[in-house]
Every structure is written in C-alpha cells, then in structure tokens.
C-alpha cells in the first residue's frame, strides 16, 4: 500500500546526492517523492503510516527534482487511528463501552497467540468496516429488534513487536463474530485474522455464514 500524500509548507532545499531519489523522480513527473523515516516505517514498499513520512521532494513535469520540499507537519511517532470505525453509524454495543479498545485488544491477542509477548505499537483502521447483524422481535415493542448475532470485518494496518523478533508492519482483515447476544450466558465469540487480506467485499460475504456457524458450537 502506498503512503498518503503530504500536505505541508514548501521550502527550498538542496536534494541529497542520491541516485535512488533521482530515479524515483524520473518515474514521477509532475508529482513528488516521499522521504520516509526508517525509525517509524519497516518497509518503504509496504504500508507506510502518514506520520513516518518526513516530507516529499517535488518533481517537475520533466521528471527532475525542483529543489522544493514539502514538509510533513504530522511527522513523528505513528498513533492509533480508529476514526473509520468510530465514524460509522453502526451498532457496536456488543464490543463494550470502548469499541476501539476492544478491537485493539482482540487483534493483539491474535498476534500474542502466535508470538508470546507480542504487542501493537500502533493500529489503524484503513477503510470503513463491514458489519452484519440479526435479531428477533422485541415482545414489548414490535418496532424494535433484539440483536441475536453480529459480525464485523475490519481492514487494518498495525506494527507488531514481539520478544526476540524483528519489528514488523502488517496489513490484513480482522473478523469478529458473536452469537447468543440475547442470551449472555450462552454467548459465543470467534475471530479470524487474514494477514495480507484486503478484499472487504469477500470478507463481508463471509460474515453471515460465520456468525450462523457459531450457533452450532458449544459455548466455551
């Protein structure tokens, strides 16, 4: 995934003597070439959080560096970003009082299950999530439904740190399904982590069968 555009002030600066920068400029006539801070980005060809970009060199229409540099005012340590989750007009009560914290903890648990002690340095929701919910009529008010099952698919990026392992930035789709919401004592939850998955349309199609399959599982 490419890095986001830089929107800061432009200053004059002598470009470094870097053949790689010159070659990248030649491939981006009329555009720009980002300067990525390796302290915050693990793979310049993978997902790069916006805060990891120091700035961008502006390129003329002839593919030559102009000597103008657009600074990134947001450069610094990457932060969590759950805006695309929390901005949705969706029902997330089943995740508790803090849906973002619940989602972050669930994703962390998945990685910790594969690499004990793993933690997330940061996590970002990349696209509006997909969700599905079923319900039964409320006997006290026929205009309302009582939720019985739900599922959520989230496309995310995160930086993982684990003992005795190199830091890594990953992208994928995290799916969380729950059944028995109207019977708390019988509630069943299950999660799926699809690293490198980015097809939210496919993930959305999988939500109904996954949450209905929970009805056949034995409560843990």
């Amino acid at each position: 995934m490419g890095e986001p555009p830089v929107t800061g002030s432009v200053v004059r600066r002598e470009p470094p003597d870097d053949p790689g920068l010159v070659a990248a400029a030649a491939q981006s006539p009329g555009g720009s070439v980002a300067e990525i801070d390796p302290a915050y980005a693990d793979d310049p060809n993978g997902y790069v959080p916006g805060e990891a970009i120091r700035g961008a060199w502006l390129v003329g229409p002839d593919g030559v560096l102009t000597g103008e540099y657009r600074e990134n005012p947001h450069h610094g340590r990457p932060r969590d970003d759950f805006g695309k989750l929390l901005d949705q007009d969706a029902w997330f009560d089943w995740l508790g009082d803090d849906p973002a914290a619940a989602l972050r903890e669930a994703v962390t648990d998945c990685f910790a299950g594969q690499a004990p002690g793993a933690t997330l340095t940061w996590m970002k929701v990349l696209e509006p999530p997909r969700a599905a919910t079923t319900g039964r009529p409320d006997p006290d008010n026929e205009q309302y439904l009582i939720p019985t099952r739900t599922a959520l698919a989230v496309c995310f990026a995160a930086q993982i740190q684990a003992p005795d392992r190199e830091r890594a930035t990953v992208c994928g789709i995290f799916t969380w399904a729950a059944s028995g919401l109207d019977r708390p004592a019988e509630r069943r939850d299950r999660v799926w982590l699809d690293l490198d998955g980015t097809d939210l349309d496919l993930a959305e199609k999988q939500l109904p069968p996954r949450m209905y399959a929970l009805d056949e599982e034995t409560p843990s």
Side-chain angles (χ1 to χ4, degrees), residues 3 13 16 33 43 72 76 78 91 100 105 155 163 173 175 196 198-199:
E3 65 275 2
R13 183 176 297 179
V33 179
D43 179 4
N72 180 12
W91 179 70
E105 181 179 0
C155 184
I173 293 179
T175 302
D196 298 322
T198 58
D199 191 342

Side-chain angles (χ1 to χ4, degrees), residues 90-148:
W91 179 70
F92 291 139
D93 289 358
W94 63 284
L95 292 175
D97 295 333
D98 191 340
L103 178 63
R104 196 184 200 282
E105 181 179 0
V107 172
T108 301
D109 288 345
C110 283
F111 285 108
Q114 301 174 16
T119 60
L120 302 187
T121 305
W122 50 261
M123 179 177 172
K124 296 178 184 291
V125 175
L126 303 182
E127 298 181 45
R130 308 293 176 84
T133 303
T134 66
R136 61 178 176 80
D138 186 337
D140 298 324
N141 190 332
E142 295 182 355
Q143 296 183 352
Y144 292 92
L145 291 177
I146 297 175
T148 56

Side-chain angles (χ1 to χ4, degrees), residues 19-213:
L21 176 61
V22 173
Q27 297 176 1
S28 306
S32 62
V33 179
E35 181 186 12
I36 298 173
D37 189 341
Y40 301 126
D42 301 315
D43 179 4
N45 297 314
Y47 176 80
V48 177
E51 300 95 329
I53 301 174
R54 289 195 178 103
W57 296 99
L58 303 189
V59 183
D62 55 357
V64 177
L65 295 167
T66 65
E68 294 179 308
Y69 185 84
R70 189 180 298 279
E71 299 177 326
N72 180 12
H74 305 294
H75 171 241
R77 185 178 298 278
R79 301 174 296 276
D80 286 351
D81 185 355
F82 291 88
K84 288 185 172 62
L85 170 75
L86 301 177
D87 291 345
Q88 296 300 296
D89 184 18
W91 179 70
F92 291 139
D93 289 358
W94 63 284
L95 292 175
D97 295 333
D98 191 340
L103 178 63
R104 196 184 200 282
E105 181 179 0
V107 172
T108 301
D109 288 345
C110 283
F111 285 108
Q114 301 174 16
T119 60
L120 302 187
T121 305
W122 50 261
M123 179 177 172
K124 296 178 184 291
V125 175
L126 303 182
E127 298 181 45
R130 308 293 176 84
T133 303
T134 66
R136 61 178 176 80
D138 186 337
D140 298 324
N141 190 332
E142 295 182 355
Q143 296 183 352
Y144 292 92
L145 291 177
I146 297 175
T148 56
R149 308 174 191 84
T150 193
L152 177 71
V154 179
C155 184
F156 75 97
Q159 189 177 78
I160 315 301
Q161 287 190 314
D164 303 321
R165 298 196 182 194
E166 292 187 1
R167 187 185 72 182
T169 297
V170 300
C171 294
I173 293 179
F174 178 78
T175 302
W176 187 344
S179 180
L181 299 180
D182 55 334
R183 305 181 305 279
E186 301 176 23
R187 174 167 165 167
R188 294 169 291 279
D189 291 69
R190 187 175 177 186
V191 299
W192 295 260
L193 182 62
D194 179 17
L195 290 182
D196 298 322
T198 58
D199 191 342
L200 270 177
D201 290 336
L202 175 59
E204 185 175 25
K205 292 178 181 178
Q206 294 174 329
L207 296 182
R210 283 179 167 177
M211 65 183 181
Y212 277 102

